Amino acid sequence: GQNIDQPTEMTATEGAIVQINCTYQTSGFNGLFWYQQHAGEAPTFLSYNVLDGLEEKGRFSSFLSRSKGYSYLLLKELQMKDSASYLCAVLNSNYQLIWGAGTKLIIKP
Amino acid sequence: DGGITQSPKYLFRKEGQNVTLSCEQNLNHDAMYWYRQDPGQGLRLIYYSQIVNDFQKGDIAEGYSVSREKKESFPLTVTSAQKNPTAFYLCATSPGGEADTQYFGPGTRLTVL
């Protein structure tokens, strides 16, 4: 089967750094997406990785290792508004998006 | 103002009734998707359409139907055959390429009483 694993919930402190991990087992790989979803709202696109390495975009960075089937999303200088769920999704060889259940991030002052 | 609209935001229906959820986009995107989101689970694909007048079943199409008569519109009907229809329904679009990023509408929360 195909699956995406992410921690269910994480807690971090305002101003700190947090790393959200995602491991995947899929039939082929054509890229990995990270989305942010605030409660009751639509997911919004954060990043796309298709090659190994780190992609930096402001306070958010995303890393990919295809050989390990592993990605992480790194959030720096955490703000209260970063409290949300973070969804990892992998595009498999059939160009189907396989979604993880998401990681709920709680930011404490 | 470009974007994806879904209406209504909240919808209540009695068991046994069909209900249609609206999804409209003015992004000129070719592809449109319907997902269902349940607590503790990843998004699950119901139906998708890559071009007008054509659509394909996703992983959980049973009890649902769609149409794509216009590029801008992709309505989803939840029929009485869907056993557990209460969920958060999300419509998404992408420009059309297979690896394109998907962009989501605000969602409709359907509650069947």
Side-chain angles (χ1 to χ4, degrees):
Chain A
Q2 304 185 89
N3 65 285
I4 311 284
D5 289 316
Q6 308 177 234
T8 303
E9 188 174 294
M10 299 181 70
T11 302
T13 304
E14 191 177 14
I17 299 173
V18 71
Q19 177 175 311
I20 302 174
N21 295 326
C22 170
T23 57
Y24 62 88
Q25 293 176 307
T26 55
S27 54
F29 178 85
N30 276 304
L32 185 145
F33 294 84
W34 284 98
Y35 283 81
Q36 179 190 60
Q37 186 179 25
H38 287 98
E41 298 183 8
T44 55
F45 169 72
L46 289 177
S47 67
Y48 170 68
N49 294 67
V50 67
L51 299 176
D52 290 351
L54 187 68
E55 295 272 348
E56 297 186 75
K57 196 184 290 187
R59 294 189 298 114
F60 292 9
S61 303
S62 56
F63 171 83
L64 175 67
S65 169
R66 289 172 296 171
S67 62
K68 295 181 179 177
Y70 167 71
S71 173
Y72 67 73
L73 182 68
L74 191 71
L75 290 71
K76 302 177 185 176
E77 300 168 16
L78 286 169
Q79 301 175 10
M80 298 303 292
K81 68 179 182 179
D82 297 330
S83 292
S85 289
Y86 292 85
L87 314 181
C88 173
V90 172
L91 203 59
N92 69 9
S93 57
N94 293 326
Y95 292 95
Q96 296 171 322
L97 256 184
I98 311 299
W99 292 84
T103 299
K104 183 178 181 180
L105 178 63
I106 300 168
I107 310 295
K108 296 186 174 180
Chain B
D1 199 66
I4 306 165
T5 57
Q6 291 186 245
S7 60
K9 180 73 172 174
Y10 299 96
L11 191 54
F12 296 88
R13 278 293 182 270
K14 291 184 178 180
E15 197 172 332
Q17 292 181 333
N18 291 355
V19 59
T20 297
L21 281 57
S22 165
C23 179
E24 304 280 331
Q25 57 106 354
N26 61 6
L27 300 171
N28 200 34
H29 284 178
D30 287 322
M32 297 186 75
Y33 310 80
W34 273 106
Y35 288 95
R36 170 183 173 137
Q37 188 174 35
D38 295 282
Q41 297 189 42
L43 297 182
R44 292 185 288 169
L45 184 64
I46 305 172
Y47 269 98
Y48 65 102
S49 168
Q50 306 225 321
I51 196 168
V52 175
N53 291 322
D54 188 41
F55 49 83
Q56 284 77 42
K57 292 181 179 180
D59 300 319
I60 55 164
E62 186 175 348
Y64 300 97
S65 65
V66 293
S67 63
R68 187 86 187 274
E69 297 176 1
K70 299 185 301 182
K71 187 174 185 176
E72 302 79 15
S73 179
F74 191 40
L76 173 74
T77 297
V78 184
T79 75
S80 56
Q82 168 51 233
K83 298 305 177 192
N84 294 299
T86 294
F88 190 43
Y89 290 88
L90 287 159
C91 175
T93 72
S94 68
E98 289 176 314
D100 281 348
T101 300
Q102 293 184 19
Y103 299 92
F104 287 84
T108 293
R109 187 165 297 280
L110 173 64
T111 302
V112 176
L113 308 170

